[in-house]
């Protein structure tokens, strides 16, 4: 099982930045019966300048381009979650219904993302990658290695800046 990707580049240099500009790069990946698409816009490219913060499009583009070089066997063991997954997981519901009031915190969190994992068994995958954005400024990655026969599982926080604050909360949840 391999990875197929398709990149389309819009060479229109007159593209204006208005928040809704056409994508400069449309990148699609197909692997393991999964379709992903990332669009990189001029506003995303501007975030590559020194002192600017990366956004979810740039991060997902980087992850998927790295996956292009992975073998099919490696991909079968890996679950890369969306950059929006953790935000959705920890979202506080706007309206508290009677059903939500009866739920524990972990049940509420599961309720927030159950549609995202509805048609797949994520526990078949041995490595889970969760990109997390802290305060809309800093990204780090949580790697979860599920236990296998004769191998212990573990959680690793990959943070180029050492980190502080929400990582303990993220790992606990």
């Amino acid at each position: 099982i391999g990875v197929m990707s398709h990149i389309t580049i819009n060479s229109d240099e007159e593209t204006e930045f208005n928040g809704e500009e056409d994508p400069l790069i449309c990148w699609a990946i197909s692997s393991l019966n999964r379709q992903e698409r990332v669009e990189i816009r001029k506003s995303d490219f501007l975030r590559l300048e020194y002192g600017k913060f990366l956004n979810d499009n740039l991060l997902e583009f980087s992850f998927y381009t790295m996956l292009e070089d992975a073998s099919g066997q490696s991909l079968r063991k890996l679950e890369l979650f969306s950059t929006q997954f953790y935000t959705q997981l920890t979202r506080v519901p706007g309206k508290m219904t009677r059903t939500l009031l009866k739920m524990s915190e972990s049940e509420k969190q599961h309720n927030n993302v159950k549609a995202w994992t509805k048609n797949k068994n994520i526990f078949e995958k041995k490595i889970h990658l969760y990109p997390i954005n802290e305060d809309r400024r800093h990204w780090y990655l949580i790697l979860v290695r599920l236990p296998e026969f004769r191998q212990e599982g573990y959680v690793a926080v990959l943070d180029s800046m050492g980190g502080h604050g929400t990582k303990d909360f993220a790992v606990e949840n």
Side-chain angles (χ1 to χ4, degrees):
I1 297 174
V3 176
M4 291 178 41
S5 66
H6 175 74
I7 297 176
T8 306
I9 299 176
N10 178 0
S11 61
D12 180 10
E13 293 184 23
E14 299 300 315
T15 303
E16 293 183 27
F17 173 63
N18 62 10
E20 296 295 325
E21 80 272 23
D22 289 332
L24 296 175
I25 297 175
C26 294
W27 192 84
I29 183 171
S30 299
S31 67
L32 304 176
N33 301 322
R34 181 171 154 180
Q35 296 279 18
E36 301 291 345
R37 179 185 169 112
V38 178
E39 295 182 348
I40 303 296
R41 301 175 184 280
K42 186 175 182 180
S43 58
D44 298 322
F45 275 112
L46 295 175
R47 291 180 166 275
L48 294 173
E49 293 177 10
Y50 181 79
K52 301 286 184 180
F53 297 110
L54 298 178
N55 66 8
D56 56 336
N57 288 343
L58 293 169
L59 200 65
E60 285 192 354
F61 182 82
S62 298
F63 281 136
Y64 292 130
T65 54
M66 284 187 281
L67 286 177
E68 264 191 322
D69 294 329
S71 71
Q73 184 177 6
S74 297
L75 288 174
R76 279 192 289 276
K77 294 180 179 184
L78 179 73
E79 185 66 35
L80 172 60
F81 286 82
S82 163
T83 55
Q84 301 299 315
F85 183 84
Y86 183 77
T87 302
Q88 181 68 17
L89 177 75
T90 57
R91 181 183 58 82
V92 176
K95 182 179 179 184
M96 292 298 282
T97 64
R98 287 183 190 191
T99 305
L100 287 173
L101 287 171
K102 293 178 186 177
M103 290 181 178
S104 69
E105 280 304 307
S106 58
E107 288 171 325
K108 289 175 191 170
Q109 289 175 338
H110 175 260
N111 192 57
N112 287 343
V113 294
K114 67 183 177 185
W116 293 35
T117 58
K118 179 173 71 171
N119 295 321
K120 59 183 167 184
N121 180 358
I122 62 169
F123 298 106
E124 290 176 347
K125 308 289 181 143
K126 298 304 171 198
I127 299 172
H128 296 182
L129 299 174
Y130 300 91
I132 297 179
N133 186 271
E134 185 175 285
D135 300 326
R136 302 184 76 192
R137 293 188 317 250
H138 176 64
W139 288 97
Y140 59 96
L141 185 68
I142 294 185
L143 181 149
V144 176
R145 173 73 164 86
L146 297 179
E148 286 188 274
F149 180 72
R150 295 187 181 178
Q151 289 184 330
E152 291 187 26
Y154 60 88
V155 175
V157 178
L158 308 174
D159 183 351
S160 62
M161 297 180 66
H164 64 285
T166 61
K167 279 175 224 35
D168 290 335
F169 177 77
V171 172
E172 290 171 5
N173 290 296

